[in-house]
Amino acid sequence: VELLKQKEIEIQEISIQKEDRYLVEIYMEKSNITDIDYIEKILTDILKEKIVLNQEASIGTRLNFLSDDKYVMAIGNAETTKANSKVSGDSVLSIKLKDGKYLVAISDGMGSGEEARQSSNKALKMLENLLVSGFDKKTSMELINSSLINQNEEIFATLDIAIDLYKGNIEFIKNGACPTYIKNSNNVQVIKANSLPVGIINHAGLQAFDRDIISGEIMLMCTDGILDSNVEYKNKELWVKYLLEDIETTSVQKIADLILNEAVDNSYGVTKDDMSLIVCKLILNKN
């Protein structure tokens, strides 16, 4: 507070918490964006850790700051709609939550069209709201499952989630979703779970996986329209794995476009299902 006063930055209150990372909340006397650089520098000097503004959690004169991510993430995505369907039943989500964690999720509503889109989009929106409200991931998934079951009509949606943690760790929670692929150079790891989609059974069939981040690795998540496009392989997931092994570019958008184009070619240009994929690259933050 004294150091801020020396820069003529008046504050009403400051709160500093430490969990995995520092979370700092400052109530300003007045909103002045030119003060942010000074505040970041002072907090960094005092806490001995790089502190940055958390814009997603800052409103008006209430500013939130947190420890900077140790890793940064580039994201690319590509999608196409089932032939003769006006709306895709797939939904994707990529946001930074208020606590600084990253949420990347893909949901595949059963079928195609507006109804499927509504179910997949609703599942992702509920997930985002629950996590922002402070619910843990397991509880959030079970609440989503219960909500979808309690509706009068049958609405099913798969969920595939990855949360990039500040401490350099990715947590996957899969529920009826396609495999997730992790590419490191020419090596590709396939992470998969055998569970039913959200909304089908009374207890959410969650399976969680946890792994440390290796700088430079690439993560791919997709819906089953991508996998099922290839009829040559009995094991549908393999064609994506082999293609990823052969791809040399590290541009996430180029990878997403290449795989989508290959999936469309598999179907001779006539897409039999909605197709969506997200590609993320995780690299060490050198700031």
Side-chain angles (χ1 to χ4, degrees):
V1 173
E2 290 303 318
L3 289 170
L4 289 170
K5 283 182 179 177
Q6 290 175 21
K7 294 292 184 180
E8 298 183 350
I9 301 172
E10 297 293 334
I11 66 170
Q12 293 178 340
E13 188 179 339
I14 183 168
S15 167
I16 301 176
Q17 300 178 50
K18 180 74 161 71
E19 295 176 7
D20 287 331
R21 62 169 79 195
Y22 281 108
L23 300 173
V24 182
E25 189 169 71
I26 295 178
Y27 288 85
M28 307 286 291
E29 291 284 352
K30 58 183 179 179
S31 180
N32 188 348
I33 198 165
T34 59
D35 293 337
I36 290 172
D37 287 344
Y38 288 121
I39 296 172
E40 287 180 339
K41 185 177 185 308
I42 289 168
L43 289 172
T44 296
D45 290 343
I46 291 293
L47 301 176
K48 309 300 182 188
E49 193 168 320
K50 174 75 172 172
I51 305 296
V52 295
L53 177 71
N54 184 10
Q55 198 148 5
E56 287 79 3
S58 298
I59 302 174
T61 57
R62 190 194 72 192
L63 301 181
N64 274 260
F65 298 83
L66 43 68
S67 303
D68 200 7
D69 292 322
K70 290 186 172 66
Y71 290 83
V72 293
M73 183 165 58
I75 295 181
N77 61 69
E79 62 180 343
T80 190
T81 304
K82 180 180 178 180
N84 300 319
S85 180
K86 293 182 180 180
V87 181
S88 173
D90 299 342
S91 295
V92 298
L93 179 66
S94 172
I95 60 167
K96 186 175 184 179
L97 300 172
K98 289 182 179 180
D99 62 1
K101 296 174 184 175
Y102 287 92
L103 169 64
V104 181
I106 190 164
S107 181
D108 182 358
M110 295 302 171
S112 186
E114 186 60 39
E115 187 175 341
R117 178 73 169 196
Q118 287 179 9
S119 65
S120 64
N121 191 55
K122 179 175 183 179
L124 288 189
K125 197 63 187 175
M126 287 175 64
L127 175 67
E128 178 187 352
N129 291 339
L130 288 166
L131 291 178
V132 166
S133 300
F135 286 87
D136 63 38
K137 293 166 286 297
K138 184 175 186 297
T139 302
S140 296
M141 293 290 284
E142 288 175 347
L143 287 170
I144 292 169
N145 197 62
S146 298
S147 175
L148 296 182
I149 287 171
N150 289 333
Q151 293 187 15
N152 293 329
E153 52 189 323
E154 292 184 337
I155 297 179
F156 306 131
T158 65
L159 282 171
D160 192 356
I161 304 156
I163 296 181
D164 173 19
L165 303 179
Y166 151 81
K167 57 187 180 183
N169 178 274
I170 305 178
E171 185 176 7
F172 305 93
I173 301 178
K174 304 185 78 66
N175 189 311
C178 293
T180 297
Y181 300 85
I182 305 290
K183 176 179 170 67
N184 191 334
S185 188
N186 292 327
N187 298 316
V188 175
Q189 177 188 6
V190 182
I191 298 175
K192 57 184 178 179
N194 298 316
S195 58
L196 294 173
V198 170
I200 286 184
I201 51 179
N202 287 325
H203 180 70
L206 305 178
Q207 289 186 281
F209 305 84
D210 190 277
R211 73 190 300 277
D212 292 333
I213 293 171
I214 299 171
S215 185
E217 68 185 0
I218 291 166
M219 178 180 75
L220 181 145
M221 299 156 59
C222 65
T223 56
D224 59 10
I226 297 288
L227 299 189
D228 293 343
S229 68
N230 190 302
V231 296
E232 294 181 6
Y233 287 93
K234 186 175 181 180
N235 188 343
K236 301 285 189 181
E237 69 199 39
L238 288 180
W239 81 265
V240 176
K241 179 180 186 292
Y242 295 151
L243 181 57
L244 271 175
E245 289 173 345
D246 291 338
I247 289 176
E248 295 184 359
T249 181
T250 60
S251 164
V252 290
Q253 190 56 53
K254 285 182 180 178
I255 293 171
D257 292 337
L258 281 168
I259 292 175
L260 179 64
N261 290 338
E262 187 71 20
V264 172
D265 287 345
N266 288 340
S267 303
Y268 302 100
V270 180
T271 52
K272 298 175 183 177
D273 194 4
D274 302 319
M275 300 179 182
S276 301
L277 67 154
I278 305 173
V279 181
C280 308
K281 181 168 67 175
L282 301 148
I283 55 176
L284 197 62
N285 188 355
K286 297 180 179 179
N287 290 339

